[in-house]
């Protein structure tokens, strides 16, 4: 098997990529991997229209990992201005996790942030309960900023996001 190719997503990727994202984050299928939110949240992680908006946005790139023409993961990088980019929506097909593809997608996002958006800093938010995921990002050079943000949707009990950042 060849290494998956990482490239910028196009609209034609979205019908096959969307189910990967949902399997990676939510529902019973997500529990096959280690990075899921299935124990904290249910429902759809992101809808197809929101994915299409990311692909169409000139201040964002959705990078997709493709193996044999099939999407198996992705990461979003967005220009937040002032030299800061944002990394989000990192996911890998649950049964393909823990094989180094996440590390490759993060590196591709950081390169895109620096080379495409001129960023010198990249940040992300992680649900603060996800200590093992925060530790994963810390091993990749991200550090807690001390900032805490509200979760973007109201849930009970409330969730909060830890902000991590890394100089590029």
């Amino acid at each position: 098997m060849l290494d998956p190719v990482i490239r910028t997503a196009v609209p034609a990727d979205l019908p096959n990529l969307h189910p990967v994202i949902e399997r990676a984050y939510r529902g019973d299928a997500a529990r096959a991997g280690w990075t899921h939110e299935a124990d904290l949240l249910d429902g759809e992680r992101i809808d197809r229209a929101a994915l299409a908006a990311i692909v169409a946005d000139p201040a964002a790139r959705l990078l997709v990992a493709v193996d044999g023409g099939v999407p198996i993961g992705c990461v979003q990088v967005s220009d937040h201005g002032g030299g800061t980019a944002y990394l989000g929506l990192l996911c890998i097909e649950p049964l393909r996790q823990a094989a180094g593809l996440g590390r490759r997608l993060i590196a591709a996002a950081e390169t895109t942030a620096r080379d495409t958006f001129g960023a010198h800093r990249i940040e992300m938010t992680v649900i603060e309960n996800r200590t093992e995921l925060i530790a994963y990002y810390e091993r990749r050079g991200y550090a807690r900023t001390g900032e805490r943000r509200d979760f973007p949707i109201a849930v009970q009990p409330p969730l909060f996001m830890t902000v991590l950042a890394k100089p590029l």
Side-chain angles (χ1 to χ4, degrees), residues 38-55:
D39 296 329
L40 299 171
L41 298 159
D42 54 15
E44 192 172 49
R45 171 60 168 78
I46 189 169
D47 62 35
R48 290 258 308 270
L51 280 178
I54 294 167
V55 169

Side-chain angles (χ1 to χ4, degrees), residues 1-7 13 16 65-72 96:
M1 182 185 325
L2 298 175
D3 278 341
V5 172
I6 298 173
R7 61 169 172 75
D13 293 318
N16 293 321
V66 180
D67 189 11
V70 177
I72 59 168
R96 304 280 303 256

Side-chain angles (χ1 to χ4, degrees), residues 123-125 143-149 161-165:
E123 71 174 29
M124 68 174 70
T125 57
R144 298 172 202 231
T145 67
E147 184 181 353
R148 182 186 201 218
R149 296 181 186 161
M161 308 295 284
T162 296
V163 179
L164 303 168

Side-chain angles (χ1 to χ4, degrees), residues 50-155:
L51 280 178
I54 294 167
V55 169
D57 184 351
R61 296 294 181 278
L62 183 62
L63 305 178
V64 61
V66 180
D67 189 11
V70 177
I72 59 168
C74 69
V75 65
Q76 174 189 354
V77 61
S78 301
D79 184 6
H80 277 201
T84 297
Y86 181 83
L87 184 150
L89 206 58
L90 176 65
C91 70
I92 310 294
E93 184 72 61
L95 295 176
R96 304 280 303 256
Q97 292 177 10
L101 184 55
R103 185 176 306 128
R104 287 184 55 211
L105 280 164
I106 291 168
E110 292 169 355
T111 298
T112 299
R114 187 179 52 250
D115 297 351
T116 302
F117 301 130
H120 54 79
R121 177 180 181 272
I122 191 164
E123 71 174 29
M124 68 174 70
T125 57
V126 179
I127 298 172
E128 69 183 8
N129 309 43
R130 303 293 318 284
T131 55
E132 75 285 357
L133 191 54
I134 291 169
Y136 170 83
Y137 289 121
E138 288 174 329
R139 290 190 302 272
R140 269 130 205 92
Y142 288 80
R144 298 172 202 231
T145 67
E147 184 181 353
R148 182 186 201 218
R149 296 181 186 161
D150 290 336
F151 192 70
I153 56 173
V155 294

